Amino acid sequence: MAQYRMYWPPVTRNFKIIAGVLFALWFATVMYAPLRVFSAENMLISRDAVFNRGQIWTLVTYAFFHANFMHLLFNLLVLWMFGGELDNAWKSSRWWKFLALCTVGGSVVILLSQLIFQTNHPTLGSSAAVMGVVAAYAWNHWNHKLNFMFFPMTGKTMLLVFIGIDVVMVVFGGEAISIAGHLGGMATGLLLASGYWKPKRLKTMLKRRKQRNRLKLLRRPPENRPGRSDKPN
């Protein structure tokens, strides 16, 4: 009988830096009210902040602040669970660049959603970057079996589970979760991890798909191929 092995992700130096900085900022906003007010007015992303007040820096700074300790703890827990393996495998420069791009990707989708639905809710938290890490981890294990929460599933199934949890918590739990930020971070993470954001890689992928479709067509019996007509001339 196969024995279940518990895997503990490594606590990397970069994770310690992130955890230390985010905890220090959260604690400072709790203990010092003027800083909390300043961050709420100048550091959180929203349609009004970016387009009306010109606070472009909020495309990044929103990720440094959290609503409460549980919000911060959840993000750090998920980052540790799925980021340790990536952080160990990547160069430090790639890790920080990846987090920054996923943060911006999340903020862009947040702004687009607020423009489309005409909302203006200030958004905060590092969830976009964290979900980008989850997406990259899922891509690296896309068709491999994982034991996620003691349930065996592939990486792509795990990613769908995360999206489903977001939807359920918003629809049924009334939680103030920015699905736009999560999806933006995930999409950015997938593009960066897969390399499909590169035009050359994307062109190669489309070319291979076209070749596969052509081979499938050639393997069909002649009478079943598209465009064939049995009608007499």
Side-chain angles (χ1 to χ4, degrees):
M1 183 176 179
Q3 192 175 18
Y4 179 81
R5 291 184 61 189
M6 184 68 73
Y7 169 71
W8 295 103
V11 180
T12 63
R13 179 176 178 271
N14 287 330
F15 174 80
K16 292 177 182 177
I17 293 172
I18 294 170
V21 170
L22 294 184
F23 179 82
L25 284 172
W26 169 79
F27 189 74
T29 56
V30 170
M31 299 302 295
Y32 189 57
L35 179 59
R36 182 167 64 251
V37 174
F38 176 82
S39 63
E41 293 179 350
N42 298 281
M43 297 296 174
L44 310 187
I45 190 168
S46 68
R47 179 168 56 94
D48 177 64
V50 174
F51 296 111
N52 296 335
R53 288 182 275 153
Q55 297 175 341
I56 305 298
W57 57 87
T58 59
L59 292 168
V60 174
T61 57
Y62 78 101
F64 289 94
F65 299 90
H66 291 79
N68 50 56
F69 180 71
M70 291 306 298
H71 184 203
L72 171 62
L73 182 63
F74 177 80
N75 278 339
L76 289 179
L77 179 63
V78 176
L79 183 65
W80 167 65
M81 288 174 61
F82 299 100
E85 178 184 307
L86 298 176
D87 193 7
N88 268 348
W90 294 349
K91 292 182 179 179
S92 188
S93 57
R94 183 184 178 187
W95 169 259
W96 292 111
K97 182 179 178 181
F98 180 86
L99 292 182
L101 290 174
C102 288
T103 298
V104 174
S107 60
V108 168
V109 178
I110 289 169
L111 291 177
L112 286 174
S113 69
Q114 292 192 358
L115 286 170
I116 292 170
F117 297 106
Q118 289 298 297
T119 58
N120 193 43
H121 305 299
T123 301
L124 73 167
S126 56
S127 298
V130 171
M131 289 301 146
V133 168
V134 171
Y137 183 90
W139 175 259
N140 287 350
H141 301 275
W142 199 246
N143 292 310
H144 302 156
K145 281 290 180 66
L146 303 168
N147 284 312
F148 176 60
M149 301 298 288
F150 305 103
F151 294 100
M153 63 181 69
T154 60
K156 57 187 174 185
T157 303
M158 185 195 74
L159 194 59
L160 291 174
V161 168
F162 267 89
I163 296 173
I165 291 173
D166 273 359
V167 173
V168 169
M169 290 183 72
V170 170
V171 174
F172 297 102
E175 298 288 341
I177 292 177
S178 174
I179 291 185
H182 285 202
L183 294 180
M186 285 181 182
T188 305
L190 275 178
L191 287 173
L192 293 173
S194 64
Y196 288 144
W197 62 275
K198 299 178 182 178
K200 186 176 180 181
R201 178 79 180 268
L202 186 59
K203 185 179 179 180
T204 302
M205 182 195 70
L206 294 174
K207 185 177 180 180
R208 287 176 179 173
R209 178 173 293 181
K210 189 175 181 180
Q211 289 174 346
R212 286 197 300 267
N213 290 337
R214 188 178 298 167
L215 286 173
K216 288 180 182 178
L217 182 61
L218 292 174
R219 288 170 184 166
R220 292 184 185 181
E223 62 273 12
N224 293 337
R225 294 176 187 174
R228 179 180 173 84
S229 175
D230 294 327
K231 293 180 180 180
N233 292 328

